[in-house]
């Protein structure tokens, strides 16, 4: 975010100090103000800014601030201007409470986070027999929305809506299968082994 466009201290004196976009390496970059999100580069830049925002400790305050102040461009709190317009319109129509607005913000974050992964998964997989799913193309890591992920990590996150803990493994006997329901991560295997032990 450039100096002139940084979030004004007039509006946000307390949480602005914790803003990730003000940290060295990010501060002064134009990530949060892609020129129009019409080219691949702009889209990638916007996706990267949104991914940083979603991990920012003050993302909710920032998003709420932007919904109230209505800046006409830029990404704030992980939301671009179109997403802010949609939330504000729905909020005006349905008289949302603060909690309902926070829920809308979270839903938009989730859709943004999973959308590129779902696209990558659908584009590169083939449905096989017996519910198995096969990956087309290289099986090494891919960069999706600024994150470097293996096919197994992509499939797991698409299926379970969270990042896997530890290695992703197929449990169906087909080591290269990527059907989400045939996958497990370290946390799931640990839980299963303890349930089995307790039975
Ligand atoms: S949510 Fe994004 S725009 Fe807002 S303070 Fe954090 S990094 Fe900056
Ligand atoms: Zn399988």
């Amino acid at each position: 975010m450039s100096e002139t466009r940084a979030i004004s201290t007039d509006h946000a004196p307390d949480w602005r100090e914790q803003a990730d976009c003000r940290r060295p390496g990010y501060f002064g970059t134009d990530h949060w103000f892609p020129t129009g999100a019409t080219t691949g580069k702009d889209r990638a830049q916007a996706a990267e800014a949104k991914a940083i925002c979603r991990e920012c400790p003050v993302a909710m305050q920032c998003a709420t601030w932007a919904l109230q102040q209505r800046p006409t461009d830029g990404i704030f709190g992980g939301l671009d201007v179109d997403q802010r317009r949609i939330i504000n319109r729905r909020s005006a129509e349905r008289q949302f409470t603060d909690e309902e607005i926070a829920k809308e913000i979270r839903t938009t974050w989730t859709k943004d986070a999973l959308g590129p992964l779902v696209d990558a998964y659908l584009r590169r997989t083939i449905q096989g027999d017996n519910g198995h799913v096969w990956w087309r193309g290289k099986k090494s890591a891919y960069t999706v929305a600024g994150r470097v992920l293996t096919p197994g990590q992509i499939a797991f996150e698409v299926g379970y809506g969270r990042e896997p803990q530890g290695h992703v493994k197929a449990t169906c006997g087909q080591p290269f299968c990527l059907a989400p329901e045939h996958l497990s991560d370290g946390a799931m295997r640990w839980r299963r082994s303890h349930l089995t032990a307790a039975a």
Side-chain angles (χ1 to χ4, degrees):
M1 183 178 298
S2 64
E3 178 94 49
T4 49
R5 288 160 144 182
I7 299 162
S8 162
T9 41
D10 299 345
H11 299 297
D14 45 357
W15 54 265
R16 184 174 176 259
E17 293 308 314
Q18 297 175 57
D20 273 355
C21 52
R22 297 185 62 80
R23 295 190 195 289
Y26 294 146
F27 190 61
T29 68
D30 278 335
H31 278 77
W32 282 264
F33 288 87
T35 47
T38 49
T39 68
K41 184 166 169 277
D42 290 332
R43 270 200 299 275
Q45 216 177 43
E48 197 181 334
K50 287 178 176 183
I52 295 165
C53 287
R54 287 194 296 271
E55 294 184 8
C56 173
V58 290
M60 186 54 82
Q61 291 98 315
C62 183
T64 307
W65 171 86
L67 288 171
Q68 288 165 355
Q69 299 300 321
R70 303 182 186 228
T72 52
D73 65 354
I75 291 164
F76 292 91
L79 305 177
D80 62 36
V81 69
D82 289 338
Q83 292 169 321
R84 296 197 296 271
R85 270 197 209 110
I86 290 169
I87 295 175
N88 272 334
R89 196 167 51 234
R90 284 165 55 80
S91 178
E93 283 167 7
R94 300 175 195 192
Q95 300 292 305
F96 279 159
T97 61
D98 289 351
E99 288 73 26
E100 286 167 331
I101 290 172
K103 197 171 158 198
E104 288 282 312
I105 292 170
R106 281 192 198 290
T107 304
T108 308
W109 287 344
T110 304
K111 283 186 188 157
D112 254 355
L114 287 181
L117 290 186
V118 173
D119 287 348
Y121 182 79
L122 293 177
R123 212 169 41 240
R124 297 203 175 85
T125 50
I126 313 167
Q127 184 64 51
D129 294 339
N130 300 321
H132 304 304
V133 170
W134 312 120
W135 190 263
R136 295 192 291 200
K138 67 183 173 88
K139 295 194 170 52
S140 50
Y142 289 78
T143 302
V144 184
R147 298 164 66 204
V148 179
L149 301 165
T150 64
Q153 288 169 326
I154 293 171
F156 186 94
E157 204 164 322
V158 165
Y160 296 97
R162 66 172 175 83
E163 286 181 33
Q165 295 176 29
H167 288 301
V168 175
K169 289 185 187 166
T171 56
C172 57
Q174 298 289 335
F176 298 113
C177 174
L178 288 173
E181 66 277 21
H182 293 180
L183 299 176
S184 69
D185 70 344
M188 290 162 77
R189 289 191 295 276
W190 184 88
R191 211 166 35 246
R192 272 180 210 152
S193 70
H194 278 70
L195 284 175
T196 311

